[in-house]
Amino acid sequence: MKKYIAYAIATGLLLTAGWPSHGFPLLLFIGFVPLMLAEHQISQRAEFKKKGRKIFGLSFLAFFIWNAAVIWWLHYAKETDANGDLHNSWTAYLIPVIANSLFMSIVFQLYHFVKKRAGNLYGLIFLPAIWICFDKLTLNWELTWPWFNLGNGFANYHEWVQWYEYTGTFGGALWIWIVNIVLFFYMTAYINKKEIKYLNKLGIYTTILIVVPIGISYIIYANYKEEGKALNVLVLQPDLDPYQDKYTKDGLQIYNELKTLALNNIQSNTQFIVAPETAVPGSSALVFDNLYKDLIVQDIQQLTKTKKDLHFITGASLIRIYPVSSLATETASVMNDGITWYDTYNSALQIGSNDSIQVYHKSKLVPGVENFPYRQYLMPIIGEFMLNFGGTTKTLGIQPHRSVFKNKTNNATVAPVICYESIYGDYTTEYVREGANVIFTMTNDSWWGSTDGHRQLLLYGNLRAIENRRAIVRSANSGISAFVNQRGDIMKSLPYGEQGALNGTILMNSELTFYTKYGDVIARIALLVMGIILAYTLAQKLLYKQNKKKI
């Protein structure tokens, strides 16, 4: 078994070394091969008992290494204990590492089951199909954690995947699996038959499968011309410590510092000022039904009056109060008086002197921090368990449909994407199908300090530019704030941990890509393929049992 343990470790290390932000994605094309070889050889050897358990254990080891190494930075999130003191949150780190490793191992175990019952061919077709279905599931269920979706692996080499405008990130996942399976097939053939022709075919086919898609992508990249009218934007980066400053300083003080930053950097042609996630009002919240009377909102309106076509878009914490319980939503909480109900929101606001205030509520929430997954089932068992990182510790309100920000003075239709939402491909297309011609991302990803966390989130989010051919304006609390063009290139940026502002010009594109129109087609095909093969496998198992009884 020592050899197979080494195989599992090799898979974990290869996938880690291929992952953004520092990895080289060429390693992803071979990353799964050692684990697949271990599964195949254990399955073929009669002396091994309880093969399924051994394969499950090996796969868990491989995926645990990958998960633990890639999101090592997550433990730097500061959790507030019962005494109000901050300390590194190993809970926030270990829960997603263990849970995601377990889910991946179950997926690989199902591959072993199908391969054993239906044969190698069906198994090798089933594996990419079920993995892609799992990736799709991580985008949509309440335990959502799509950080390891395979298509994200090319985020730091976006020139390789310009064809994401047709396939989305699932095209990258399928690409990785096809190359891994071809490598596995010919390596197994060579191991079994020791004929050099299999190594030759391995080299030829894998080279073609890797080089041709990259070549096509570079052709698209070189020939793509950005479309649309120009839009001039000022991005603000206040650099507030999310634990000490953001939720302890007075809201008016935070806003006045933000305003000063804007006034010191605004230009004569500026059309939008963009501030990061929950930039206002600090530790408190704006009352949703009283926005027009709020002092901060009124001051922003006065600021936008200095120029005819100036608009201010910012992240904001909102609260909505329900005077009677019958009006409360399922996410609402009751105040200390036991009578008044309220919802809190992580929102985006567009404020201009000539337009009504427009509001969007963040709707892809971080599990365990902004959302209690499967609350109606788990709360009666474990109580209100939420991680406390200094901000909100309750399930936030959401809105069922995406909405965009329009205005009367220019052609901009803004997709107000908030932080975690930026890593959801098909989700982002909903803004674009509503007419968005630019994407404004507001984020506060400084919870983990100067680690890979904020860099990975930036790179994952930039893939949305390729998928939809929409420029991205990114305002981050502590960085990295950036301007990203329609090819996914970072044109300008502010480094992490630096207070400042950034002026830039982007183009507003109104053309829809294939991916924008049709979404995750590959995932839907994968679901169909997985269902057919799984049904066939279960039927084969049932027939085998029936025939065995007859004998």
Side-chain angles (χ1 to χ4, degrees), residues 17 26 38 49 104 159 183 225-226 245 256 377 381 401:
L26 205 61
K49 306 300 180 184
M104 288 178 172
E159 300 91 347
L183 277 167
K225 303 298 181 185
E226 288 198 274
D245 297 334
N256 285 327
Y377 305 113
I381 301 172
H401 305 291

Side-chain angles (χ1 to χ4, degrees), residues 332-345:
S333 299
V334 65
M335 292 186 175
N336 292 333
D337 61 10
I339 300 172
T340 308
W341 291 76
Y342 70 99
D343 262 317
T344 54
Y345 299 92

